[in-house]
Amino acid sequence: MANPAVKQDPLAARIEGLTLPDGAGWANDARGAALSRLTAMGLPRKRDEYWKYSDPTTLNAPEAPRAGLFVTDEAMPFSDTDRLKIVFVDGVYDAEASDDLAMEGVEIERLSDALARDIHWARDHYGVLETRGQTPVERPLAALNTAFATDGVVIRATGKAAKPISLIYLHKSETSDAILHHLVKVEEGASVTVLENGPAAARFSKCMEVEVADGGQFHHIRAQGRDHERRASTHMFARLGQESVYKSFTLTVNGILTRNEQVVEITGDNAVAHIAGAALGDGATGAFHHDDTVFVTHDAVDCESRQVFKKVLRNGAEGVFQGKILVKPHAQKTDGYQLSQSLLLDEDSSFQAKPELEIYADDVQCSHGSTTGAIDEEALFYLRSRGVPEGAATDLLVLAFLAEAIDEIEDESLREDILTRLQGWLDRHRG
Amino acid sequence: MLEIKNLHVSLEEEDKQILKGVDLTVEAGKVHAIMGPNGSGKSTLSYVLSGRDGYEVTDGEALLNGEDLLEMEPEERAAAGVFLAFQYPVEIPGVGNMTFLRTAVNAQRKARGEEEMSAAEFLKVIREKAKALKIDADMLKRPVNVGFSGGEKKRNEILQMAMLEPKMCILDETDSGLDVDAMKLVAEGVNALRDEGRGFLVITHYQRLLDHIKPDVVHIMAGGRIVKTGGPELALEVEQNGYADILAEVA
């Protein structure tokens, strides 16, 4: 027992109210190992290099800070997409609201079911990529997730998935604290698209581990929006086999704190990884802080990676980008690209960027660029002089600025859906 | 149509007066040309009329059909009928030329309480007008002015003018950077728009554009004022003798 006179350490306080879910022996071992990793690392601190621009205090707090709900009649993203819906309410799987999990080309199970079975493919995957992703940069909140995740799904694509799998995170309680962990295994030559949307909880921790075997394809489109006071810390861990494809796009609007980490390891030759994001924040409707932290490792020959992140910030909104490309010595013919840009619509908003390249191979093509700029006044005047009102003219320029990120969405109808969300947000946030 | 009375304008950033009492009236159906040496205030006049930031009107007024232009936002001026063909058209990456023009046409129509143009109708009209200006489908699809040659940019300005059908067209050194063939094409585009209900203010350094767009009235601007007004022969005089003689004469 801790001595009550001694100030309790923050990690102990953070996990005091959490319990390690009980499952099969191997699953309990994996959770125990994650807890050991977490204990060794401790919680993230403001002084940690990777938390320099985002304050982890509220993510570390024992209880989730209260978050009001965003009330709207507007349809959720992807509503018009033919998809398999899996619904979580405040982090708990809702079987009633979800579709039947059977679908051609994939096997889907609830995480707790998979982790309760003595023999299951998840045994070789749960926490594996998260563990790999802890080097060289520590990600304690991901280890916390692996240890304590209470729900989630495991998805195994064995062929071409008949429809996108749509994970819908509803938020109904103002104090909910949700921890979800998903596993995705795309087998050789298989393909699957995973959609995610919804505010999820007052505080949301989500980890997705994605293993893409040779020739497999994983597509991911995510829309994070609505609730202004929600906090989220998400991790995507991926490992790519030969000639595989991993493409992830995230749209973020609103949110007092969002930290999206992506850790992608390319281990097979000729693989392709594209990671893109568009974030829009308006401090006038609530504090906004958005952080994209990306780490791409090239560990194979002839691979391509692209990072395209764009942020539009106004009225004190804050944006952060920390992106790294690591090219290992034998990863020749690597084509690496990284772009992070922000459009600041006023002087109160801010953008911090830390682009990094670390290259040990000598025959590679890597480029990175990071810019911060204001709206182009010349272009704005030109549009207005042709009769386009200032608000609409600004929107046109904002959409033009975001285009390179949005264009990373391959599927036309999903791209249109995301554009509809964007336009809706812009209409509600006319400066 | 356009009445400018005693217009005084300074730069906002520095205490420098550019226009020092401009008086000018352009009647509907007429083409007025403004010539003058560098730094005389010609471009400033065009920017002030179209509502660009950075200028302060210290005295005087500018009216379009009796309405106070200087009180309006740039987009309101456009809807009221003012069009400025830019000396340096702006490149806007990411915004398609066609999207831009359709947004502009319909924004103006909406502002005037008119019905918006359907996509099909718009396409039909723009194709026709683009053809006359030798603007191909590819140029219409590309982002506004991005990668356009000097001539293409100017032709694109005239296409915008043709689509927006303004009442008062201001052309700021539309001939700059154009070879003879391109200038002819642009002039033809402008001449096609000459109409009883439309006024033109053509700003130029050189007489050569006025060979193709025949003015009714020519003004010489110097030191922020109109110093001399005459007929087309005044442009020829400038061409032959330069500005020195005229400036000496009015000094």
Side-chain angles (χ1 to χ4, degrees):
Chain A
M1 276 306 266
N3 182 344
V6 178
K7 198 180 168 206
Q8 203 179 17
D9 91 277
L11 176 59
R14 173 70 179 91
I15 64 178
E16 196 182 5
L18 302 174
T19 37
L20 288 170
D22 192 33
W26 62 266
N28 294 351
D29 290 348
R31 289 183 185 275
L35 181 55
S36 301
R37 284 195 293 283
L38 173 62
T39 310
M41 292 182 271
L43 288 170
R45 289 154 304 179
K46 188 84 178 87
R47 65 170 183 273
D48 292 347
E49 202 194 329
Y50 259 60
W51 288 90
K52 202 171 159 187
Y53 306 117
S54 297
D55 186 349
T57 305
T58 52
L59 300 174
N60 291 340
E63 283 177 6
R66 190 191 151 279
L69 306 174
F70 185 79
V71 182
T72 176
D73 294 336
E74 208 177 301
M76 286 278 214
F78 315 129
S79 298
D80 298 331
T81 303
D82 186 19
R83 58 194 171 145
L84 187 146
K85 294 195 293 288
I86 301 176
V87 179
F88 296 87
V89 179
D90 290 309
V92 182
Y93 173 66
D94 183 341
E96 285 283 300
S98 300
D99 290 334
D100 185 273
L101 299 184
M103 181 167 66
E104 206 185 309
V106 287
E107 291 166 15
I108 308 169
E109 287 165 87
R110 197 172 170 185
L111 179 79
S112 49
D113 292 341
L115 265 52
R117 303 216 337 240
D118 288 327
I119 298 172
H120 197 281
W121 61 264
R123 180 178 185 153
D124 297 328
H125 295 273
Y126 191 76
V128 170
L129 296 184
E130 177 258 297
T131 306
R132 292 181 69 87
Q134 299 290 354
T135 323
V137 179
E138 290 183 347
R139 304 171 197 277
L141 295 176
L144 187 148
N145 180 296
T146 302
F148 295 104
T150 46
D151 223 325
V153 286
V154 302
I155 298 167
R156 183 161 72 134
T158 52
K160 188 175 170 4
K163 295 183 218 178
I165 297 167
S166 179
L167 306 175
I168 301 163
Y169 307 124
L170 302 181
H171 175 200
K172 292 191 174 164
S173 153
E174 295 193 346
T175 53
S176 56
D177 193 12
I179 307 180
L180 295 183
H181 195 111
H182 309 304
L183 289 185
V184 180
K185 186 183 182 199
V186 182
E187 300 202 328
E188 269 186 43
S191 67
V192 66
T193 296
V194 173
L195 311 175
E196 292 185 281
N197 74 276
R203 182 169 67 182
F204 185 38
S205 162
K206 194 219 65 188
C207 188
M208 190 184 291
E209 297 180 274
V210 183
E211 184 85 57
V212 189
D214 295 352
Q217 293 213 8
F218 175 78
H219 293 267
H220 175 235
I221 315 285
R222 168 164 62 170
Q224 298 174 309
R226 302 192 176 221
D227 301 17
H228 291 285
E229 292 166 305
R230 65 171 177 78
R231 291 174 163 81
S233 153
T234 78
H235 289 86
M236 301 282 297
F237 293 100
R239 181 162 57 181
L240 309 188
Q242 210 172 310
E243 289 175 16
S244 68
V245 172
Y246 173 93
K247 291 191 178 177
S248 171
F249 172 88
T250 302
L251 170 71
T252 308
V253 302
N254 305 346
I256 195 166
L257 174 62
T258 308
R259 162 95 160 198
N260 290 333
E261 298 194 20
Q262 294 236 12
V263 183
V264 177
E265 193 183 356
I266 305 177
T267 57
D269 297 346
N270 293 297
V272 172
H274 289 194
I275 309 158
L280 296 94
D282 181 356
T285 48
F288 178 87
H289 182 98
H290 180 87
D291 177 336
D292 284 301
T293 291
V294 181
F295 200 116
V296 176
T297 303
H298 281 267
D299 198 8
V301 178
D302 258 325
C303 296
E304 174 194 318
S305 74
R306 267 174 81 80
Q307 300 173 36
V308 181
F309 286 88
K310 304 259 189 169
K311 294 176 173 58
V312 178
L313 307 165
R314 69 155 48 124
N315 294 315
E318 299 167 353
V320 176
F321 174 80
Q322 307 187 95
K324 180 156 183 169
I325 306 175
L326 169 64
V327 181
K328 294 208 170 172
H330 61 276
Q332 300 295 2
K333 309 280 181 200
T334 288
D335 180 0
Y337 176 77
Q338 183 196 84
L339 182 71
S340 64
Q341 295 183 312
S342 74
L343 180 62
L344 304 182
L345 296 179
D346 52 54
E347 287 173 5
D348 302 330
S349 302
S350 66
F351 177 58
Q352 312 279 351
K354 194 171 78 171
E356 290 179 283
L357 295 181
E358 195 176 329
I359 302 170
Y360 296 101
D362 53 15
D363 183 15
V364 301
Q365 211 181 350
C366 278
S367 63
H368 71 98
S370 182
T371 63
T372 301
I375 207 103
D376 181 345
E377 291 295 335
E378 292 284 321
L380 187 65
F381 174 64
Y382 190 70
L383 292 168
R384 294 178 72 191
S385 79
R386 298 306 183 239
V388 184
E390 189 174 6
T394 304
D395 287 359
L396 269 179
L397 296 176
V398 165
L399 289 171
F401 169 77
L402 294 173
E404 192 179 348
I406 308 288
D407 286 348
E408 287 292 324
I409 306 171
E410 272 182 22
D411 184 284
E412 198 182 333
S413 67
L414 291 172
R415 190 168 61 238
E416 286 300 317
D417 197 319
I418 291 293
L419 278 170
T420 304
R421 307 296 139 196
L422 261 175
Q423 192 58 57
W425 191 88
L426 289 171
D427 289 344
R428 290 193 299 275
H429 294 262
R430 278 281 158 79
Chain B
M1 171 72 57
L2 177 68
E3 283 176 277
I4 302 169
K5 294 176 194 165
N6 192 32
L7 189 63
H8 285 70
V9 172
S10 302
L11 287 181
E12 249 171 27
E13 298 272 307
E14 44 189 309
D15 189 22
K16 189 180 171 192
Q17 205 171 25
I18 309 282
L19 300 184
K20 300 168 183 171
V22 174
D23 285 287
L24 179 69
T25 300
V26 180
E27 309 82 6
K30 300 289 185 194
V31 174
H32 285 233
I34 297 187
M35 302 181 73
N38 282 328
S40 57
K42 304 186 302 292
S43 287
T44 296
L45 178 62
S46 73
Y47 285 141
V48 170
L49 292 175
S50 54
R52 191 192 180 103
D53 277 347
Y55 301 98
E56 192 190 345
V57 176
T58 53
D59 201 4
E61 57 181 356
L63 307 173
L64 182 73
N65 293 326
E67 280 187 275
D68 185 357
L69 270 187
L70 304 179
E71 282 298 306
M72 298 183 201
E73 295 294 336
E75 54 268 32
E76 293 169 339
R77 298 179 197 208
V82 174
F83 181 92
L84 169 65
F86 282 56
Q87 182 180 2
Y88 303 109
V90 182
E91 297 188 4
I92 312 182
V95 177
N97 214 5
M98 200 85 117
T99 309
F100 158 59
L101 255 173
R102 201 168 152 233
T103 307
V105 167
N106 282 333
Q108 289 203 14
R109 289 185 165 223
K110 201 173 156 197
R112 291 194 293 257
E114 298 166 10
E115 204 176 314
E116 292 187 15
M117 217 183 216
S118 73
E121 190 189 353
F122 177 83
L123 208 60
K124 184 168 163 266
V125 177
I126 197 168
R127 276 191 184 143
E128 201 177 290
K129 303 203 180 206
K131 201 177 162 195
L133 287 159
K134 299 208 168 102
I135 290 174
D136 59 24
D138 181 54
M139 257 176 82
L140 290 176
K141 270 189 241 153
R142 268 149 62 188
V144 181
N145 293 326
V146 176
F148 287 24
S149 70
E152 286 173 333
K153 283 181 182 170
K154 296 298 171 81
R155 277 187 274 149
N156 200 29
E157 293 292 288
I158 304 305
L159 174 65
Q160 291 170 31
M161 195 160 92
M163 289 302 296
L164 294 167
E165 300 182 324
K167 290 181 191 148
M168 184 65 225
C169 306
I170 305 164
L171 281 70
D172 186 10
E173 309 220 2
T174 294
D175 51 337
S176 69
L178 294 187
D179 59 30
V180 179
D181 291 338
M183 189 162 62
K184 271 189 188 163
L185 204 59
V186 164
E188 278 168 23
V190 172
N191 288 331
L193 287 168
R194 289 182 74 156
D195 180 273
E196 279 178 9
R198 189 170 285 139
F200 285 86
L201 191 57
V202 180
I203 295 170
T204 181
H205 264 297
Y206 305 106
Q207 194 265 337
R208 58 175 198 167
L209 179 66
L210 304 179
D211 284 343
H212 302 285
I213 305 173
K214 299 255 188 275
D216 297 296
V217 183
V218 175
H219 306 274
I220 305 297
M221 193 164 184
R225 281 191 199 93
I226 304 288
V227 295
K228 191 167 182 181
T229 297
E233 72 285 351
L234 193 52
L236 291 169
E237 195 185 322
V238 168
E239 182 72 3
Q240 279 160 16
N241 306 328
Y243 292 108
D245 286 2
I246 295 169
L247 297 184
E249 179 191 321
V250 298

